[in-house]
Amino acid sequence: MTLSPRVPDLAALDVMVSVARLGSMSAAGREHGLSQQAVSARIRAAERDIGLRVFDRTSSGVVLTPEGVAVLEWAGNVLGAAEKFATGVQSLLREENASLTVAASMTVAEHLLPGWIVLMRARFPDVRTQMRLMNSAEVAHHVLAGRADIGFVEGPQIPDGLGICVVATDELVVVVPPQHPWVSRESITVDELAATALVQRELGSGSRTTYESTVHPTVPPLLELNSVTAIKSAVVTANAPTVLSSLAVAADLRDGRLTRIDAVTMPRELCAVWDLREPLRGPRRDFLDIATSQRT
């Protein structure tokens, strides 16, 4: 359907209806916050589009022409439909804004996301924020599939089709129990680390991907677990090394439960991701703003 050039814009129709109701361009101008000259210009433009004279100008104001009576009746119907349209859209926006599903990788979910959710709740109490915990590969998949509104990943490999924004920086560190032989050494080589079976996160996790792309291990993991807590427990039980986020082991290093080993620098960026096919606005934009404002 191609819109006829005889249809003026809605703003002009709205002003025209006000002039007819109030009988004065100056009064309509006050109602719309426009000068009398601006109102007159809109009326002239609308009359040119319609192709009919809608008002007769008199010394005491304006009056509708016979044709204008019919035009104003139709204009009222058009504006009524426009108001119904705007109300419906606003209702959809409120429904959309009522909830936000956030998918996050382990490190972000455990150490950063809770604080962001608290701030989101304080600033936007009407938005229900739901968190889904998964590895980075699953986060990207959920966002692209529309099952999460925004995601947070820690891996260096981010699929096409996602918008990306760095929200924090982190570092992977090699840690062992205090009784491990590496503790007595100043450092270990990258080759030695690569040839050692580690307790590791599962495939698809950001930590695992970053470690493998940096070190290129030559042996399979000793164990594969999908929980940081389980990994730390296994490390102590098996007296084995692991590679975890500095955020995840900060308390353990401070309390002496684990010891950091100098081997290789593994910095990384923690990123927010979203579907580029959808505009970044509403709660998603608000939540991203909170995350970036707390950037660490």
Side-chain angles (χ1 to χ4, degrees), residues 112-224:
L112 300 174
L113 200 58
W116 299 341
I117 291 177
V118 169
L119 286 175
M120 184 72 176
R121 177 65 178 171
R123 296 180 188 178
F124 306 98
D126 294 334
V127 178
R128 299 191 309 274
T129 303
Q130 306 173 54
M131 180 179 73
R132 294 180 180 174
L133 176 61
M134 56 195 71
N135 65 41
S136 291
E138 292 169 333
V139 169
H141 178 72
H142 271 64
V143 172
L144 286 172
R147 293 197 290 271
D149 299 307
I150 191 168
F152 294 90
V153 299
E154 54 194 78
Q157 299 172 358
I158 297 177
D160 293 337
L162 291 174
I164 306 168
C165 178
V166 177
V167 297
T169 56
D170 183 29
E171 180 185 10
L172 292 183
V173 295
V174 181
V175 294
V176 297
Q179 67 272 22
H180 193 276
W182 285 356
V183 173
S184 61
R185 299 171 53 179
E186 291 187 2
S187 63
I188 61 170
T189 66
V190 175
D191 290 341
E192 189 173 2
L193 180 61
T196 302
L198 274 59
V199 180
Q200 282 275 46
R201 286 286 307 280
E202 79 284 2
L203 285 172
S205 75
S207 299
R208 175 80 171 265
T209 302
T210 300
Y211 169 72
E212 291 184 345
S213 63
T214 303
V215 176
H216 307 292
T218 57
V219 295
L222 177 66
L223 287 172
E224 293 180 272

